[in-house]
Amino acid sequence: MPARYSFGGDEHLFIECSDEMSLEAFFKSLSMATAVRESQIKGVTEICPANASFQVKFNPDIIKPDDMMKEVRAIEVDAEKAEPVLKTRIVEIPVFYNDPWTHETLMRFRERHQEPEGTDLDYAARINGYDAVGSFIEAHHGSPWFVSMVGFVAGLPFMYQMVERERQIEVPKYLRPRTDTPRLTVGHGGCFGCIYSVRGAGGYQMFGITPMPIFDSSQTTSYLRDFMVFFRPGDIVKFKPIDRAAYDQAVEDVDRGRFSPPIREVTFDLREFQKDIDGYNTKLEGTLYAH
């Protein structure tokens, strides 16, 4: 479908590639945002990509808003022809599901939840048709996730599950947001998974916690010394369930500079993925453990 264009005041152009999230919409928005950056249009000062859209900030004293729109519309035509192939990486993220810290937090805020008598995992399992929390957890970590956007707060990834739409986990956010969420909580809201990069308010359902920092403004974490934000759009995430002992060991390894997340460079081809989703995912995951 054609992109939808709208102005935000005199300095912003918002381009919405779709009104619903899909990998096709993500690829189109990423392709367009990249092309705008590479075109070096005079007057463009910033480009902000999102899940299925992006925003361009420009100086109206250098380029008029209507001219800015013409430039981007021309780029859209070329973006439609672009190959849906992305050089990216797959990373394994350990998760301690049903951990005591997110459990304590969710119990503090039960009056804000759709089903105060249960837990977030109970609720998510039930409304997604799983007969047990364990089966739901298996579905959560059983397929990879695509990072479609990083932001909202520093370093927070929005993740889209790489399965057929009818199999995707969907859970509404809390009825009222919490005032507290543990740092590194693995959460879910709507069709998007996330990892809370810092402690703070939030409304996503809480499923577990990872020992792996994904944002470090001090850049003292061993694998974040070059850049304080771990994730970037296009990353593919494979969650690995761990127990309390493995969680504690990973925390210690992070503190001592010994933790190194498994990462492999991969090429993701949307067309090949769509031909055989489960088979393609298995091949992707296999690259993580290939020697």
Side-chain angles (χ1 to χ4, degrees), residues 95-99 101-103 105-107 109-128 133 136 140 145 156-159 169-178 180-182 184-196 200-209 239:
V95 182
F96 181 15
Y97 288 96
N98 208 7
D99 66 281
W101 305 284
T102 61
H103 183 81
T105 303
L106 66 87
M107 295 308 293
F109 292 95
R110 287 331 280 167
E111 80 284 356
R112 304 183 183 211
H113 197 273
Q114 290 88 344
E115 293 187 356
E117 65 277 8
T119 67
D120 293 9
L121 279 166
D122 292 333
Y123 175 63
R126 186 186 67 77
I127 68 170
N128 281 278
V133 165
F136 174 79
H140 187 269
W145 298 70
L156 183 150
F158 286 81
M159 296 176 289
I169 293 169
E170 291 196 30
V171 195
K173 295 189 289 185
Y174 274 44
L175 297 175
R176 287 189 296 131
R178 301 177 301 274
D180 188 25
T181 307
L184 299 179
T185 290
V186 176
H188 198 96
C191 72
F192 289 108
C194 83
I195 301 173
Y196 283 77
Y204 277 25
Q205 308 286 335
M206 296 182 287
F207 298 160
I209 199 164
F239 291 123

Side-chain angles (χ1 to χ4, degrees), residues 250-262:
V251 169
E252 180 182 334
D253 290 343
V254 169
D255 290 343
R256 297 191 176 188
R258 298 189 307 230
F259 185 88
S260 180

